[in-house]
């Protein structure tokens, strides 16, 4: 469990630093070690990081589809989830980052 939480905090840092490729790798690693209840949300984090990376490099073909996958995954984020607080914080950071990139573009 502690390893997953470390990955989550590191994921947040990479998103804040706009290092989306590393965030993608971290999300993949989190998927390997997470429990079933967190897996759908973490899959959403993977989609969000992929969407942001595509925005960053100017490949807009899949941005909306990937971001919609992230939005769908948020439905699985519930207060009884063991990692609810950090996952909720992560979603807020992702959405703020997306808005920031959209303003730049």
């Amino acid at each position: 469990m502690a390893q997953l939480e470390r990955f989550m905090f590191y994921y947040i840092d990479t998103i804040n630093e706009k290092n989306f490729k590393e965030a993608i790798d971290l999300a993949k690693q989190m998927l390997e070690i997470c429990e079933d209840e967190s897996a759908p949300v973490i899959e959403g984090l993977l989609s969000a990081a992929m969407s942001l990376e595509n925005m960053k490099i100017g490949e807009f073909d899949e941005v909306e589809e990937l971001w919609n996958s992230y939005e769908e995954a948020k439905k699985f984020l519930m207060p009884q989830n063991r990692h609810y607080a950090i996952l909720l914080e992560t979603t807020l950071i992702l959405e703020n980052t997306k808005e920031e990139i959209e303003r730049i573009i």
Side-chain angles (χ1 to χ4, degrees):
M1 248 354 95
Q3 183 180 15
L4 181 60
E5 290 171 356
R6 279 193 300 274
F7 278 137
M8 288 178 182
F9 284 115
Y10 192 39
Y11 177 91
I12 289 172
D13 288 343
T14 60
I15 293 298
N16 283 329
E17 295 168 358
K18 313 286 187 287
N19 186 352
F20 305 124
K21 285 183 181 181
E22 190 168 349
I24 291 167
D25 291 338
L26 285 168
K28 289 176 182 177
Q29 291 174 353
M30 287 189 287
L31 276 171
E32 292 176 8
I33 63 170
C34 73
E35 64 278 348
D36 291 340
E37 70 178 8
S38 297
V41 179
I42 294 173
E43 287 172 0
L45 299 182
L46 174 60
S47 293
M50 292 169 67
S51 179
L52 293 172
E53 175 63 20
N54 284 351
M55 286 175 73
K56 180 180 172 183
I57 63 174
E59 292 182 11
F60 299 104
D61 295 341
E62 296 180 354
V63 168
E64 187 174 345
E65 181 181 338
L66 288 165
W67 194 261
N68 288 342
S69 294
Y70 158 72
E71 291 289 341
E72 285 293 315
K74 284 193 325 184
K75 294 178 183 175
F76 295 96
L77 183 58
M78 299 179 193
Q80 61 267 29
N81 185 295
R82 171 180 261 167
H83 305 288
Y84 177 76
I86 189 169
L87 289 170
L88 183 61
E89 179 182 351
T90 304
T91 62
L92 296 172
I93 290 168
L94 284 167
E95 290 169 20
N96 288 338
T97 302
K98 182 179 184 255
E99 289 174 10
E100 193 177 305
I101 292 173
E102 287 175 336
R103 278 191 299 262
I104 294 170
I105 295 173

